[in-house]
């Protein structure tokens, strides 16, 4: 066992003495050590209950003959960090989470590990560490929040963000917004739509690193605790059989996960996180891998923010395994891949049941013929840009719009909220990429304001930053190269015409090559003073099309 290097032989008597100071008995020290990564805190609704989930995991480990050893990692609530400088710090936490887990896991020589995340950057950060370490491991999330209820309709966090825009447009009163605020987030768990956290938890299950149910069992249900106990027991089986994360998360498994991504209509942030996770397993994924899969896989689940359904609906309809059962009939999945159940995917799918064909549509009657995400290229984004096409209204799938240019999210948001954006505009927000932000802020506030004010049928939003999984509308993000690297988005001027053609996978700045060359020669990177984490992140991060991960 790996842990023997900390506890076996007479030379390790001092080490054992320290373990006994923790209260461990000789019997516990003799057993395999299982590191339990707990991201519980009092900052995030999705993490407020994770101590209970971790207690269940530890019970499972003990039932199967292991000794659980818990340690903590940081986590940030993107919703609370949204629309102020705090959001610049969110994406860098992904790398810090991965690095900190590696440090502890190597320092304490665990034999196996259980990762317990739930929200935005914590899930990909833990998955990166899981594949980097390649110790027998399993991931069990805290589960999704229940949807809220207000006046006979379901609501969620995005309803509140869009409610701000509705208030600014005079569509609702402050009292209406207060009632929405009070109702939208009714329980613990990751926000209830197919936003980034739930997207990543579902893809963890699709990838094979989480047990069936990991992505969709609601946080408040006791079956979530039973799942956690089973995860604790199952990791001991993985240790016994020496099944490691890279045995599970193969290139074929990642392509399976991308297929599920397209069927679910997941967050555009998956295009940022999945390649960064794959890289830790020595697997290179490209933007075109997502686009090719999008052409093959129809959009089967119309989840919030684009549709009326929430994760609890997906759970009761058949969950991620139900979606994969649908896709297996298309021939787009490799069902021979191994999973943390100890069985291959084809075996797991034998147990899958679909109980609602409106929540999980048949492949013969999808919500959209193509998958949820599209990759655009063109003169504005030669290295690629990302759009959640399942959330774009038909009239915005192919448009020409005049550029309204802003060098920060704050400036763009002020213009939107004050009514300065009109039909036919394309709001361009630049210098918000991995280096330019730095930190590549999510921009849920401006997109939600546009939707709430009823402009999502007429206004596009384009950025080298990124969008929340809660974003809907013609929102094109991850424009690469970013403005801070002198990418074409840095050269856009007020009033330029931008053409977006999502079916044709194009995004172009309709300015002559001669004019672009002239602007490029006159461009100078804006001066700024950075310190601390953001200074390091700006110097170390790669572009969005490379997953915004640290350079080697």
């Amino acid at each position: 066992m790996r842990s023997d290097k900390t506890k076996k032989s007479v030379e390790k008597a001092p080490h054992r003495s320290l373990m006994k100071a923790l209260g461990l008995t000789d019997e516990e020290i003799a057993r395999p050590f299982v590191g339990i990564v707990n991201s519980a805190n009092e900052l995030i609704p999705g993490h407020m209950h994770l101590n209970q989930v971790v207690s269940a995991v530890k019970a499972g480990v003990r039932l199967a003959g292991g000794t659980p050893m818990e340690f903590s990692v940081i986590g940030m609530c993107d919703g609370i960090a949204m629309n102020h400088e705090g959001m610049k710090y969110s994406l860098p936490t992904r790398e810090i989470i991965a690095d900190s887990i590696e440090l502890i896991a190597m320092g304490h020589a665990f034999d196996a590990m259980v990762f317990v995340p739930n929200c935005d950057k914590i899930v990909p950060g833990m998955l990166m560490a899981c594949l980097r370490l390649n110790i027998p491991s399993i991931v069990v999330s805290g589960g999704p929040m229940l949807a809220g209820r207000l006046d006979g309709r379901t609501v969620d966090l995005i309803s509140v963000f869009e409610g701000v825009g509705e208030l600014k447009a005079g569509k609702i009163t402050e009292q209406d917004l207060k009632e929405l605020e009070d109702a939208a987030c009714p329980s613990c768990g990751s926000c209830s739509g197919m936003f980034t956290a739930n997207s990543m938890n579902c893809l963890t299950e699709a990838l094979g690193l989480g047990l069936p149910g990991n992505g969709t069992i609601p946080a408040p249900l006791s079956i979530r605790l039973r799942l956690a106990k089973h995860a604790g027991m199952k990791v001991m089986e993985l240790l016994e059989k020496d099944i490691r994360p890279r045995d599970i998360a193969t290139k074929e498994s990642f392509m399976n996960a991308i297929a599920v991504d397209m069927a679910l209509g997941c967050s555009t942030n998956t295009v940022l996180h999945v390649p960064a996770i794959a890289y830790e397993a020595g697997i290179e994924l490209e933007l075109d891998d997502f686009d090719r899969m999008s052409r093959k896989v129809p959009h089967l689940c119309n989840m919030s923010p684009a549709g009326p359904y929430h994760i609890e609906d997906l759970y009761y309809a058949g969950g991620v395994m139900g979606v994969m059962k649908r896709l297996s009939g298309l021939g787009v999945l490799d069902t021979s891949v191994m999973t943390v159940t100890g069985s291959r995917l084809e075996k797991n799918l034998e147990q899958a049941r679909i109980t609602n064909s409106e929540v999980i549509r048949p492949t013969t009657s999808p919500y959209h013929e193509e998958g949820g995400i599209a990759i655009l290229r063109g003169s504005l984004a030669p290295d690629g840009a990302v759009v959640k096409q399942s959330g774009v209204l038909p009239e915005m799938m192919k448009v020409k719009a005049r550029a309204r240019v802003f060098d920060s999210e704050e400036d763009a948001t002020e213009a939107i909220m004050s009514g300065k954006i009109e039909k036919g505009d394309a709001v361009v927000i630049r210098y918000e990429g991995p280096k330019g932000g730095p930190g590549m802020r999510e921009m849920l506030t401006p997109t939600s304001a546009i939707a709430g004010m009823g402009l999502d049928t007429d206004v596009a939003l384009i950025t080298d930053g990124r969008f929340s999984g809660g974003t809907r509308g013609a929102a094109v993000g991850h424009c690469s190269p970013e403005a801070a690297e002198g990418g074409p988005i840095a050269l856009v001027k007020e009033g330029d015409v931008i053409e977006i053609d999502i079916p044709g996978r194009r995004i172009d700045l309709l300015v002559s090559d001669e004019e672009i060359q002239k602007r490029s020669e006159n461009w100078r990177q804006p001066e700024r003073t950075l310190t601390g984490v953001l200074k390091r992140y700006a110097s170390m991060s790669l572009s969005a099309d490379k997953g915004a991960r640290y350079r080697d």
Side-chain angles (χ1 to χ4, degrees):
M1 293 189 296
R2 292 182 75 253
S3 61
D4 285 350
K5 55 184 82 168
T6 69
K7 64 187 183 184
K8 201 168 185 179
S9 79
V10 294
E11 289 81 8
K12 297 303 187 293
H15 303 62
R16 294 192 296 273
S17 182
L18 288 169
M19 294 173 191
K20 290 176 179 179
L22 294 170
L24 295 179
T25 65
D26 286 328
E27 292 80 3
E28 288 173 304
I29 293 170
R31 295 172 180 170
F33 284 172
V34 180
I36 315 292
V37 190
N38 185 2
S39 54
N41 62 38
E42 296 180 352
L43 305 174
I44 315 174
H47 290 234
M48 62 188 282
H49 65 301
L50 290 190
N51 284 331
Q52 189 178 15
V53 176
V54 166
S55 292
V57 170
K58 290 193 284 189
V61 170
R62 291 191 182 100
L63 281 169
T67 297
M69 308 186 80
E70 176 188 343
F71 66 99
S72 301
V73 293
I74 62 170
M76 180 184 295
C77 179
D78 277 16
I80 295 173
M82 197 74 65
N83 195 229
H84 61 92
E85 65 178 5
M87 180 48 74
K88 294 182 179 182
Y89 291 83
S90 175
L91 187 55
T93 67
R94 184 187 73 178
E95 319 305 315
I96 291 171
I97 288 165
D99 289 351
S100 64
I101 292 171
E102 178 189 4
L103 292 168
I104 299 302
M106 296 306 294
H108 285 261
F110 297 127
D111 299 300
M113 297 189 71
V114 181
F115 296 84
V116 188
N118 210 28
C119 291
D120 290 11
K121 307 310 162 300
I122 301 96
V123 182
M126 286 200 187
L127 287 170
M128 289 166 70
C130 175
L131 289 170
R132 186 185 300 175
L133 290 164
N134 203 33
I135 298 166
S137 298
I138 194 168
V139 180
V140 56
S141 77
M145 182 184 290
L146 297 175
R149 299 289 189 275
L150 180 64
D151 298 330
R153 62 190 173 104
T154 56
V155 293
D156 54 38
L157 179 65
I158 306 311
S159 307
V160 189
F161 271 96
E162 294 185 0
V164 176
E166 292 173 349
L167 177 66
K168 296 289 185 181
K171 296 181 178 181
I172 64 173
T173 66
E174 288 190 21
Q175 180 59 33
D176 293 332
L177 184 60
K178 174 65 164 58
E179 291 175 2
L180 186 56
E181 169 189 329
D182 290 344
C185 299
S187 74
C188 62
S190 47
C191 295
S192 57
M194 191 55 73
F195 314 143
T196 303
N198 290 322
S199 295
M200 291 308 304
N201 285 328
C202 287
L203 296 192
T204 298
E205 183 178 338
L207 192 57
L209 292 173
L211 291 173
N214 178 75
T216 59
I217 296 172
L221 300 191
S222 295
I223 191 174
R224 173 63 59 179
L225 299 180
R226 299 201 297 274
L227 182 81
K229 287 181 183 177
H230 284 132
M233 291 185 277
K234 187 60 68 174
V235 79
M236 296 302 296
E237 179 183 329
L238 295 172
L239 174 61
E240 180 183 357
K241 294 179 177 178
D242 195 29
I243 298 174
R244 297 170 182 257
R246 294 185 199 172
D247 299 326
I248 295 167
T250 61
K251 178 66 178 284
E252 292 76 18
S253 298
F254 274 102
M255 296 311 296
N256 286 351
I258 293 172
V260 172
D261 187 344
M262 297 305 149
L264 289 175
C266 288
S267 165
T268 52
N269 280 315
T270 61
V271 183
L272 201 68
H273 298 318
V274 172
I277 296 163
Y279 182 80
E280 299 291 348
I283 298 167
E284 293 281 353
L285 292 179
E286 299 177 349
L287 293 184
D288 288 342
D289 289 320
F290 289 82
D291 202 62
R292 280 191 291 269
M293 192 62 76
S294 182
R295 302 280 196 179
K296 298 177 185 177
V297 175
H299 178 219
L300 302 181
C301 303
N302 202 20
M303 313 297 294
S304 175
Y309 299 114
H310 291 82
I311 306 301
E312 64 200 78
D313 300 310
L314 180 60
Y315 166 62
Y316 289 113
V320 172
M321 289 295 106
V323 174
M324 297 188 85
K325 193 175 186 72
R326 292 279 201 225
L327 295 179
S328 64
L330 283 181
V332 296
L333 299 183
D334 185 335
T335 60
S336 69
V337 296
M338 180 57 67
T339 73
V340 289
T341 65
S343 300
R344 300 193 181 277
L345 177 60
E346 58 193 358
K347 181 71 172 176
N348 297 345
L349 292 182
E350 291 177 4
Q351 307 301 316
R353 297 290 181 271
I354 300 166
T355 62
N356 188 323
S357 290
E358 191 61 23
V359 176
I360 306 175
R361 286 268 186 96
T363 56
T364 53
S365 58
Y367 285 100
H368 300 96
E369 294 296 330
E370 291 189 350
I373 290 172
I375 305 301
L376 312 184
R377 298 182 189 273
S379 61
L380 188 60
D383 291 344
V386 183
V387 64
K388 188 172 183 174
Q389 64 174 343
S390 58
V392 180
L393 294 169
E395 52 266 50
M396 293 298 291
M397 294 292 284
K398 189 172 182 178
V399 296
K400 290 182 181 179
R402 59 184 174 273
R404 302 295 307 279
V405 183
F406 303 92
D407 287 348
S408 73
E409 179 189 359
E410 289 85 354
D411 289 347
T413 299
E414 190 280 328
I416 295 165
M417 294 292 194
S418 60
K420 297 175 183 177
I421 301 303
E422 302 175 352
K423 293 181 178 182
D425 286 346
V427 177
V428 177
I429 307 177
R430 61 193 182 190
Y431 296 106
E432 290 286 7
K435 295 178 182 299
M440 203 180 181
R441 284 193 284 186
E442 283 187 351
M443 295 188 223
L444 180 56
T445 297
T447 58
S448 296
I450 286 171
M453 296 171 79
L455 293 172
D456 53 328
T457 58
D458 302 286
V459 173
L461 200 153
I462 301 166
T463 183
D464 54 3
R466 60 196 178 93
F467 297 114
S468 162
T471 290
R472 63 185 175 95
V476 181
H478 305 200
C479 285
S480 301
E482 64 175 291
E485 293 186 324
I489 194 171
L491 309 178
V492 181
K493 289 188 176 181
E494 190 83 5
D496 284 348
V497 177
I498 295 173
E499 183 173 24
I500 301 171
D501 179 1
I502 295 173
R505 301 301 201 261
R506 297 286 306 181
I507 183 165
D508 290 291
L509 177 61
L510 301 186
V511 174
S512 69
D513 292 343
E514 293 78 13
E515 176 63 17
I516 290 294
Q517 181 63 31
K518 180 180 176 182
R519 294 181 189 181
S520 180
E521 290 171 356
N522 293 326
W523 176 80
R524 297 292 180 271
Q525 184 172 355
E527 292 185 9
R528 58 186 177 166
T529 301
L530 297 174
T531 60
V533 170
L534 294 184
K535 182 178 181 179
R536 291 195 295 276
Y537 187 82
S539 67
M540 296 171 65
S541 65
L542 295 172
S543 63
D545 63 297
K546 298 294 190 297
R549 60 177 173 79
Y550 283 164
R551 65 181 71 253
D552 292 330

